[in-house]
Amino acid sequence: MDIKAVFKKIAKKKQYYFLLLPTFVLLITFNYYPAFSALYHSLFEWNGVNLSKFIGLKNFVEMMRDPTIRISLGNVARLTTTNLLINLTFPLFAAELIYHLKNSKFAYSYRVLCVIPMVVPAMVIIMIWRFIYNPTRGLLNQLFKVAGLGYLARPWLGDFDLALYAVIFVGFPWISGFSTLIYLAGLQNIPVSITEAATIDGTTAITRFLKIELPLITAQIKLIVILTLIGAIQGFVNIMVMTNGGPGEATMVPGLHLYRNAMYY
């Protein structure tokens, strides 16, 4: 590649690069600098103010010796796996149903219904589920009692064996508006000629989904996988609000443990 030719092209379009400059300055200042600064400081033994001694990877070794970290890694692995399974099935199923609706008005109405919950702050939803799990006044235990199944009532968020699964169950039936719309956009982008040809050939609904629709929305599936992995590994707000990592360390995740060490200790 001719470097001079590249610089000449840049010089001709320099006004566009100047317009992009503020965006890159903000990204470097508020995204990249904190990340690399954290990595740099993690190689030192320091008190939060002054760097004192270079220790290499010793901090990471000590972290992996922490029993809480080992427990939290197991918890986050289970959370990540279940979140992936949920986001790759339930929203896709909902998008398929909306996509195949014959009545366009109904399809539009269901799309709107999927979007409406996104307007509600996530914290409100978490607090509602926390109330549902309340051991004395919670909706779930009250329903069991009304149905004559009082023996199934549990302190859901206080049970060492059930707390993590109670957190996973939050958001049931797990039809995320964001994921559903991404899948639906991919399905609507499939050329009509392909689906019509499949219909003429007498393709069944299941075969059409497996052989045609699913392969053509792989880009959307990859996006959902990436976003789910990032969210599951980084996220800890719902756990902090609902259980604060308890009971004991039954719902502890690395993000919450690191947050506690950074802000409390």
Side-chain angles (χ1 to χ4, degrees):
M1 181 182 290
D2 189 351
I3 297 177
K4 290 183 178 180
V6 172
F7 278 108
K8 285 182 180 178
K9 289 181 180 179
I10 293 174
K12 287 181 181 179
K13 305 291 183 179
K14 59 182 179 296
Q15 64 273 23
Y16 301 115
Y17 288 95
F18 280 120
L19 290 173
L20 286 172
L21 188 60
T23 300
F24 281 101
V25 169
L26 292 172
L27 282 173
I28 291 170
T29 304
F30 295 106
N31 281 14
Y32 294 104
Y33 171 73
F36 285 106
S37 175
L39 183 61
Y40 172 73
H41 284 78
S42 70
L43 303 177
F44 289 83
E45 180 182 338
W46 66 303
N47 58 10
V49 180
N50 301 312
L51 292 175
S52 57
K53 180 182 177 183
F54 179 79
I55 57 174
L57 299 176
K58 186 177 178 181
N59 282 326
F60 295 95
V61 174
E62 290 296 324
M63 182 180 70
M64 295 311 298
R65 289 175 179 169
D66 184 353
T68 302
I69 279 290
R70 292 199 293 269
I71 293 171
S72 64
L73 287 173
N75 290 337
V76 82
R78 281 186 281 179
L79 285 168
T80 302
T81 303
T82 52
N83 285 342
L84 276 174
L85 292 173
I86 288 169
N87 285 330
L88 290 176
T89 52
F90 289 88
L92 178 57
F93 179 68
E96 278 285 331
L97 292 177
I98 296 172
Y99 173 65
H100 288 290
L101 282 175
K102 302 298 181 183
N103 190 311
S104 59
K105 291 183 178 179
F106 277 119
Y108 176 78
S109 300
Y110 282 116
R111 285 202 303 271
V112 172
L113 288 174
C114 285
V115 172
I116 288 175
M118 297 172 64
V119 180
V120 181
M123 190 59 62
V124 175
I125 296 173
I126 293 171
M127 294 303 293
I128 290 173
W129 275 93
R130 185 178 175 182
F131 172 74
I132 290 172
Y133 287 136
N134 187 285
T136 56
R137 305 184 307 276
L139 178 63
L140 186 56
N141 282 347
Q142 293 300 321
L143 286 175
F144 281 137
K145 291 175 183 178
V146 170
L149 301 173
Y151 61 90
L152 293 177
R154 296 284 189 282
W156 300 98
L157 298 178
D159 190 308
F160 282 84
D161 296 324
L162 296 175
L164 186 64
Y165 298 103
V167 172
I168 292 171
F169 201 78
V170 169
F172 181 82
W174 306 303
I175 299 176
S176 164
F178 181 72
S179 300
T180 302
L181 291 178
I182 288 178
Y183 286 129
L184 187 58
L187 291 169
Q188 290 176 335
N189 200 41
I190 297 174
V192 178
S193 58
I194 295 177
T195 55
E196 288 179 347
T199 303
I200 293 171
D201 290 341
T203 305
T204 63
I206 295 176
T207 303
R208 183 175 66 240
F209 171 72
L210 295 175
K211 301 290 186 180
I212 299 174
E213 294 170 354
L214 201 58
L216 291 176
I217 60 169
T218 50
Q220 285 74 22
I221 293 173
K222 291 176 183 177
L223 175 62
I224 294 295
V225 169
I226 292 170
L227 294 177
T228 301
L229 288 173
I230 293 173
I233 293 170
Q234 289 186 341
F236 63 88
V237 174
N238 59 334
I239 290 176
M240 183 171 67
V241 173
M242 297 186 74
T243 64
N244 200 27
E249 296 170 347
T251 59
M252 181 62 68
V253 291
L256 179 56
H257 185 54
L258 295 176
Y259 171 81
R260 280 183 175 179
N261 279 277
M263 299 301 173
Y264 296 166
Y265 311 131

